[in-house]
Amino acid sequence: ISDRPSDAMYRFAAAGLGGALLGLDADRRTRAVLRVLGLGLIAFALQPLFASGLLRAGDKRRRVSFKSVVDVARPVGEVFAFFKNFENFARVMRGIRSVIDYEDGRSHWEVYTPSGGTIAWDAVVTKYVPNNVIAWTSVPRSPVDTTGIVRFTPLAAGWTRLEIAFTYRPARTDLSDAVHSLLGPRPGRRLRTDLDRARVYIESLPTADAAQQSDLSS
């Protein structure tokens, strides 16, 4: 979107001409033509304002601050083992294209943008307590400012409670991503669906006892 004075002058003149065409007196057929031309000129004049509004709305829609709690029917050690390997996130979250976990506290993330492109960044673990908590954040000057934390609480009968908090703020949003983000589902709703998918996936994995018996029988 250009802010040059000459562009603003042209658009102001187009708006004035469009309004004048709408007010001209003519026969029915000519008025219809003038109306189309007038509305087209006014739309041209207002296009920067319309685009700016779309960008603001789309950027706001893409910014996520998500918190949720879910109980998983697996022991805390098994649930923690799944989440500590960030590459598993791509198995259950549809928006993630891939994650490379370097197993030294660093990871590389690549996710899909609303318009179907990709965006990538690096992250580092900021807190790691086995069977208790994992936290991470994007590195400085990343195209995405993101943080995540998962807390693990063992429950009775081999269940685990997950408390998840996640933020995602892209550094910039272009017009295409803005439009697609407004047309698509809300990110919070999609993340809740992904979290439920993660619960089902973890509960479907072989138990530690079953894996051990399989190894012994092979």
Side-chain angles (χ1 to χ4, degrees):
I1 301 171
S2 176
D3 293 321
R4 293 180 301 175
S6 58
D7 288 345
M9 180 182 67
Y10 292 144
R11 294 185 185 279
F12 182 78
L17 178 58
L21 291 176
L22 292 178
L24 288 177
D25 187 20
D27 60 75
R28 183 176 179 179
R29 179 174 298 180
T30 303
R31 278 202 309 271
V33 174
L34 293 175
R35 180 179 177 82
V36 171
L37 292 174
L39 291 175
L41 287 170
I42 292 174
F44 167 76
L46 296 179
Q47 185 269 338
L49 294 176
F50 180 66
S52 296
L54 277 178
L55 283 173
R56 287 193 299 270
D59 182 68
K60 184 177 180 180
R61 182 69 168 265
R62 293 183 70 195
R63 293 172 178 265
V64 180
S65 182
F66 175 81
K67 291 183 179 181
S68 188
V69 177
V70 62
D71 293 343
V72 183
R74 281 302 174 88
V76 65
E78 295 181 17
V79 179
F80 185 86
F82 178 85
F83 278 93
K84 75 175 183 179
N85 181 359
F86 291 146
E87 294 183 5
N88 285 327
F89 282 50
R91 300 177 183 270
V92 296
M93 301 184 71
R94 290 170 296 177
I96 297 180
R97 184 177 186 274
S98 65
V99 182
I100 301 174
D101 192 329
Y102 298 112
E103 300 183 2
D104 60 358
R106 300 176 303 118
S107 55
H108 180 78
W109 300 64
E110 187 171 341
V111 304
Y112 294 105
T113 65
S115 59
T118 58
I119 187 171
W121 69 91
D122 293 324
V124 293
V125 171
T126 56
K127 191 171 185 179
Y128 184 93
V129 181
N131 297 337
N132 183 266
V133 62
I134 300 174
W136 65 93
T137 185
S138 54
V139 300
R141 295 183 294 278
S142 294
V144 172
D145 180 13
T146 180
T147 63
I149 183 168
V150 184
R151 299 186 184 277
F152 306 79
T153 303
L155 303 176
W159 284 66
T160 301
R161 174 161 294 167
L162 297 176
E163 298 176 63
I164 297 175
F166 176 76
T167 64
Y168 179 90
R169 298 181 177 87
R172 64 179 297 274
T173 296
D174 61 25
L175 189 58
S176 178
D177 281 337
V179 172
H180 282 85
S181 66
L182 291 171
L183 295 176
R186 290 186 175 276
R189 183 183 304 172
R190 187 171 61 246
L191 285 172
R192 287 184 179 87
T193 301
D194 290 339
L195 184 56
D196 190 60
R197 182 181 293 106
R199 176 188 61 79
V200 172
Y201 184 87
I202 295 171
E203 292 177 349
S204 70
L205 294 174
T207 64
D209 290 341
Q212 185 177 12
Q213 291 176 4
S214 177
D215 291 339
L216 290 175
S217 62
S218 59

